[in-house]
Amino acid sequence: MPNPNKTTYQSYIGGEWVNSSSGETYETFNPAHTSNVVGTFQSCTVEDAEAAIAAGKVAGVGWASTPAPQRGAVLLKVLGILERRGEELAQAITVEEGKPIIDARGEIKRAMNIIEYSAGEGRRMFGYTTPSELPDTVAYTIRRPMGVVAIITPWNFPVAIPAWKIAPALICGNAVIFKPASATPLAATLLTEVFEEAGLPPGVLNLITGSGSSVGNALVESPDISAISFTGSTEIGTRLYARGASLLKKVQAEMGGKNAAIIMNDADLDKAVGGVVQGAFGSTGQRCTATSRVIVQDGIYGDFMKELVERTSALTVGDGIDEANDVAPLSSQNQLDTVMEYIGSGTEQGARLVIGGHRLEDGEFADGYYVEPTIFEDVPLDSRIAQEEIFGPVLTVFKAKDVKEAVDISNSVEFGLSSSIYTKDLTVAHQYINTVETGMVHVNAPTLGGEVHLPFGGLKSSGVGAREQGVEMVDFFTEPITVYIDHAAEAKERARFI
Ligand code: NAP
């Protein structure tokens, strides 16, 4: 087994746990107790990235020719190991990223679901047959792996997002170079260990930890990487997509969000408030599908706000490892600074602070990145907190007179990841479903999450390229090859087309 000394972790290249070629390392710290070192990790170099790609190229040949059901069998072993090691990984997520342990366990479950679904895909991987216009000819398609693919992931779902890229890539027969966020290398390392333990052949999955601007960029630039699956900020994703396209690579980029929930006058108040509190403050608001805005019809506004403030005030803030806590620390100093800057800009730009708005620094909070759950109302539509992704426990509230105005507000941002509406009126619900500009739409449910057998992704600045998960996942990680077979006994004149 790798990593005999568990405080210093290594990268995984060609089936070996190795140090960075430069010998340089970096440390990560627990966001709930910033003096606690989580571990020491390799600062991989461009040379390490090249070594990983070379290993992937060699190993990918054998993996691509392994029958897909056998590849699926390896993924089922991964699933079995996660049953056993899931709690270890969940605790690693909380210690490293900060999120409440219950959310971390949910993340592991989500990872297991996609691994299970991907394993089953090994027995489908459908092409299609269709009649040929030529006599004595059979026409059909097969799927071929892309080759060596790069998986570049963010810190906020350090196991689930890598899993929902790695498992589909592997079942489709690709070799993978996995570049996790610099902030969450422990979760990435443990996940890689699980794949190794399941018997994945050496070199098929390679882990390189280190900075995006060096090793991440090296993956994008490499002529041997044929596809890049990226999740992260819109800023980096936009640049990466443009560069990848200019190099004629296949790229999918899932990016930021500014998700809104709409509450209509006829909404079930209890359900609506519960969904918004969970959506806004669950995982400390550090979810791409978090509820960042709520748009409330004027007739229910007063009742909704009263209940919202009451339930938000009852949330307990503290170390995520304690199951009693609902809201945990932000995951880094950078996140803390960004969120506090947004809170400051809210007041400066004319919004009214209803609750929260402060950093918590005393007593048990002294050593962590804690911010109170925060709500603003009377938010100017053109203000930064109305338009930009905050990525923290901050909710902005708007008022609308009808569903048309509510959808207009929902659509008034550059993002289009997820959204929701609470109403009992099917006509209103369908008007909303057909006009809201988001890739995922929920009715009477929070803006959060999704199921692995359905496509996941956003519109506008939230996503570009093929959708992740669902049947669409296979489209991204394979090339369709079109086959024509002439089985006539004798030569004959053929039509001369293209
Ligand atoms: P980020 O800063 O864009 O980083 C994402 C990944 O890209 C990291 O692994 C990062 O490495 C790497 N990277 C940075 N610069 C790069 C470069 N020049 N070339 C190649 N790779 C590079 O995003 P983040 O702060 O980790 O994640 C938060 C964002 O992710 C939020 O905007 C959130 O909404 C979004 N997100 C979206 C979804 C979705 O499905 N739509 C899901 C989750 C999160 P380093 O860590 O080393 O910088």
Side-chain angles (χ1 to χ4, degrees), residues 26 151-157 161 164 179-184 210-220 230-237 239-240 253-257 286-289 334-335 389 391 415 417 440 456-458 462-463 468:
Y26 72 101
I151 303 286
I152 302 179
T153 54
W155 48 263
N156 70 322
F157 279 91
I161 291 180
W164 83 49
K179 199 317 255 174
S182 295
T184 50
S211 96
S213 53
S214 65
V215 286
N217 188 55
L219 297 179
V220 177
F230 168 90
T231 299
S233 63
T234 298
E235 185 197 343
I236 303 286
R239 288 210 312 262
L240 189 145
E254 286 304 333
M255 303 175 282
Q286 297 181 126
R287 274 182 163 125
C288 54
T289 54
N334 192 33
Q335 273 293 103
E389 182 179 51
F391 224 52
F415 300 102
L417 186 58
M440 292 170 291
F456 184 97
S462 290
E468 300 193 279

Side-chain angles (χ1 to χ4, degrees), residues 250-301:
K250 213 170 175 183
V251 184
Q252 64 181 182
E254 286 304 333
M255 303 175 282
K258 187 71 182 171
N259 315 295
I262 293 173
I263 317 298
M264 301 303 292
N265 286 343
D266 67 343
D268 178 321
L269 188 63
D270 187 42
K271 207 169 173 182
V273 176
V276 168
V277 170
Q278 187 195 0
F281 305 117
S283 289
T284 322
Q286 297 181 126
R287 274 182 163 125
C288 54
T289 54
T291 309
S292 182
R293 300 177 292 153
V294 58
I295 304 157
V296 189
Q297 198 173 6
D298 39 21
I300 199 175
Y301 190 88

Side-chain angles (χ1 to χ4, degrees), residues 46 49-54 56-57 146-150 177 215-228 243-244 246-250:
V46 172
E50 285 165 355
I53 295 167
K57 261 182 96 170
M146 298 297 302
V148 187
V149 302
I177 315 300
V215 286
N217 188 55
L219 297 179
V220 177
E221 295 296 326
S222 169
D224 291 322
I225 294 286
S226 51
I228 305 161
R243 182 61 183 152
S246 76
L247 296 169
L248 303 182
K249 293 176 197 292
K250 213 170 175 183

